[in-house]
Amino acid sequence: MNSETVDPGSEHGIQNWVVEIVVAVGLFALGAIVAYNSWLLGAGWRDDGPGAGYFPFYIGVLICISSALVGFGAIKPAGRDGKVFVTYEQLKRVLTVLLPTLAFVIGVQFLGIYVGSVLFIAGFMIWVGKYHWAKSALIALAVMAIAFLMFEVWFKVPLFKGTYNPLHFLGY
Amino acid sequence: MAELSSLFHGFAVVLSPFNLMLMMIGIVLGVLIGVLPGLGGANGVAILLPLTFSMPPTSAIILLSCIYWGALFGGAITSVLFNIPGEPWSVATTFDGYPMAQQGRAGEALTAAFTSSFVGALFAVLMITFLAPLVAKFALKFGPPEFFAVYLLTFCSFVGMGKGSPMKILASMMLGFALAAVGMDTVTGQLRLTFGMPDLMRGFDFLIAVIGLFGIGEILLSMEEGLKFSGSTARINTRIVIETWKKLPKYWMTSIRSTLIGCWMGITPGGATPASFMSYGIAKKMSPNGDRFGKGEVEGVIAPETAAHAAGTSALLPMLALGIPGSPTAAVLLGGLLIWGLQPGPLLFVEKPDFVWGLIASMYLGNIAGLIVVLTSVPLFASILRVPFAIIAPVIIAICAIGAYTVHNAMLDVWFMLGFGVVGYVFKKLDYPLAPLVLAVVLGDRAEDSFRQSMLLSQGSMTILWSNWLVGSITTLALVLLVWPLVARVLQSLKGMAGGSSAAAARGTPEHR
């Protein structure tokens, strides 16, 4: 969206062309894997029609071609326009969302979506938003209580309860 | 006139109390989704899709399509008041909407935005009413080669009409096709690209991709900006609405032009976002007040909003008539049809007329209801944006996780959602477009099926794509669109050489604005 809006004064960060090349190399590798696997499956014509790998093989090849062209475009000196992909300041802000989200997804495996979400929302409000713990807990509980009513009770869509299922006592 | 009687039958279907209630809920939820960062039309509908599994399909599609209309309206609120486009298609609305709000004309800007959205949508619905049955009737004659040609046209027009690097569009689209290929092959039953992981047998669901790319990715982007909301307050009262309405007829030319651009971009899957930019650009060139654009010109709000809504609405035409969606949100709705057990495509008009005409009737009523809701409740929705991000962000992430889980009741999908979120963030920053990726994930299998069926028919010869005038002309049109950026670049560099400076064209990707 507004990727060009860079904070003035904090120009230090990861260069755009570096990320551009990393992504292009990643895509190229992915394309190569897709093409190779499709080749193994049978990318040619078989007696009953095109093989299972026929279509994906060319998809893989096209990924390789397009990512290679994007990558070479970024390597060229003209591609190194000094544009910053993300400043360290911005990266820190992004990580303050991304890392807790990662912890949330791991936590949900054990505690289930309801308990995991309550802890995540409350924790995020306390650590990042610097809210009082009581207010944070109240909001988190209220949001997930609504979700619980909506999914389990009204629409009868059961959500993941986790390996330890702490909400076992509710009988859902 | 068979359409009219069918349409009235559709109104009868919609006008049951239950469906009307769903419509209002949908609109309000939709505006809410459009206002909140990280929740948009596509992933909002994707998250709520599992809740509709137990509803009758007609009620379900009314609810979901009304969420879509609501989101289209809601995007304008944040653009005008906060200079934050709630949706990608309302970016162009910020250009003139926000300056107007700063001058204390927020009410006027919002009224103009909502009204022109409504006008654009209304014309698009009228077009769907009369054109969709014809297209569907025509499409009943389609065989696999014709369908493949239409898919080809869809994807080629992304490359040809998209703004930005064609290679990035291609890479993004092919990544989508590759993701779609993962899992069981529908023809031979072989497992493809699963690398021995049983969980991958199911393949990647595009709903997960949509929730991750648009939801989590958007949250990460918003966080990066630091998100200091500094909004204007909006007062809309009857007097402002009526005064603005008095002014609007003056801009009838802009409205008509923007509607046409929108309808065209919606049917060919250019989508609402490029339509709004194109319409803004053309209005700026054509208007006598062109030089005042960007400083708070009403016309600069009317043009993109009309086009975005016309495009967003007409994107449902190819979805209904051909089973090929014109936008990510239409793709999600299409996914809904499949889950409810309906086969999208031309036969839908014959087999499920109640459903089709109920949906079309709900487009009329939904847009009227939407206009009333947004005009009366802007302050309420604007106040939601004042809820601090530290509360909104974790709630939205939790909602996204719930949405991702409920699609298949699989925790692995929540991991995929997180992965797609990071991909969405990086892709968006590098200008890899996300819409072609999503549409390729949705349509990948069916495009492949039609391709393989065509190849079976012709024993492997590509000439089947030119075997009759119909399929031949679609294929040719697709290829012309595909090479269009190349042609444009050559023309540009020729022009550049004539002017003596080819430097601009050397690295330049043609800008289609």
Side-chain angles (χ1 to χ4, degrees), chain B residues 41-371:
Chain B
N43 62 345
V45 175
I47 288 169
L48 290 167
L49 194 57
L51 290 184
T52 65
F53 288 172
S54 54
M55 285 185 196
T58 314
S59 305
I61 192 92
I62 290 174
L63 176 67
L64 294 181
S65 61
C66 282
I67 291 173
Y68 185 29
W69 314 136
L72 279 165
F73 277 113
I77 299 179
T78 52
S79 305
V80 170
L81 293 183
F82 296 89
N83 203 16
I84 298 164
E87 301 292 331
W89 55 70
S90 40
V91 172
T93 312
T94 60
F95 298 160
D96 277 279
Y98 187 62
M100 282 181 77
Q102 282 177 315
Q103 295 159 17
R105 291 155 67 205
E108 192 188 332
L110 284 173
T111 311
F114 296 149
T115 315
S116 22
S117 302
F118 175 73
V119 171
L122 191 66
F123 276 101
V125 182
L126 277 172
M127 186 193 66
I128 290 180
T129 309
F130 294 101
L131 206 57
L134 291 180
V135 175
K137 212 176 278 173
F138 188 61
L140 281 175
K141 299 195 190 79
F142 278 21
E146 281 84 1
F147 267 110
F148 181 72
V150 175
Y151 287 120
L152 194 68
L153 179 66
T154 306
F155 287 105
C156 288
S157 63
F158 263 120
V159 178
M161 318 237 293
K163 61 191 181 70
S165 155
M167 280 305 139
K168 284 187 174 172
I169 300 174
L170 188 65
S172 172
M173 187 187 298
M174 290 304 144
L175 181 61
F177 274 117
L179 289 174
V182 173
M184 181 104 71
D185 175 24
T186 45
V187 180
T188 61
Q190 279 173 293
L191 290 179
R192 298 196 296 196
L193 304 171
T194 54
F195 307 102
M197 285 169 69
D199 282 323
L200 280 180
M201 247 173 76
R202 232 181 19 238
F204 286 94
D205 197 295
F206 77 100
L207 292 171
I208 310 298
V210 166
I211 294 171
L213 291 170
F214 294 109
I216 305 295
E218 199 62 46
I219 289 279
L220 295 177
L221 271 178
S222 317
M223 195 60 194
E224 176 187 279
E225 306 283 326
L227 229 89
K228 294 174 275 303
F229 287 134
S230 52
S232 326
T233 47
R235 284 258 164 71
I236 292 198
N237 53 36
T238 340
R239 201 175 51 82
I240 295 181
V241 171
I242 290 175
E243 265 176 27
T244 313
W245 278 355
K246 271 187 203 151
K247 274 193 226 165
L248 289 181
K250 219 169 63 186
Y251 303 108
W252 62 275
M253 208 26 231
T254 312
S255 295
I256 292 176
R257 195 190 322 116
S258 308
T259 305
L260 291 179
I261 294 172
C263 287
W264 169 248
M265 297 291 279
I267 295 177
T268 66
T273 312
S276 62
F277 279 109
M278 195 191 264
S279 170
Y280 183 86
I282 293 179
K284 189 175 175 173
K285 261 186 214 137
M286 308 274 272
S287 164
N289 302 326
D291 50 328
R292 285 209 309 234
F293 269 51
K295 293 174 192 147
E297 197 47 46
V298 177
E299 214 178 336
V301 174
I302 296 172
E305 280 293 313
T306 313
H309 253 217
T313 310
S314 50
L316 295 185
L317 194 158
M319 182 200 94
L320 275 176
L322 300 173
I324 298 172
S327 74
T329 313
V332 178
L333 291 175
L334 182 103
L337 297 191
L338 293 173
I339 291 168
W340 303 318
L342 298 172
Q343 187 60 46
L347 273 175
L348 203 59
F349 277 82
V350 184
E351 284 171 353
K352 301 274 177 198
D354 269 13
F355 175 82
V356 173
W357 290 103
L359 171 61
I360 294 177
S362 83
M363 292 182 190
Y364 285 97
L365 295 175
N367 274 298
I368 296 172
L371 183 67

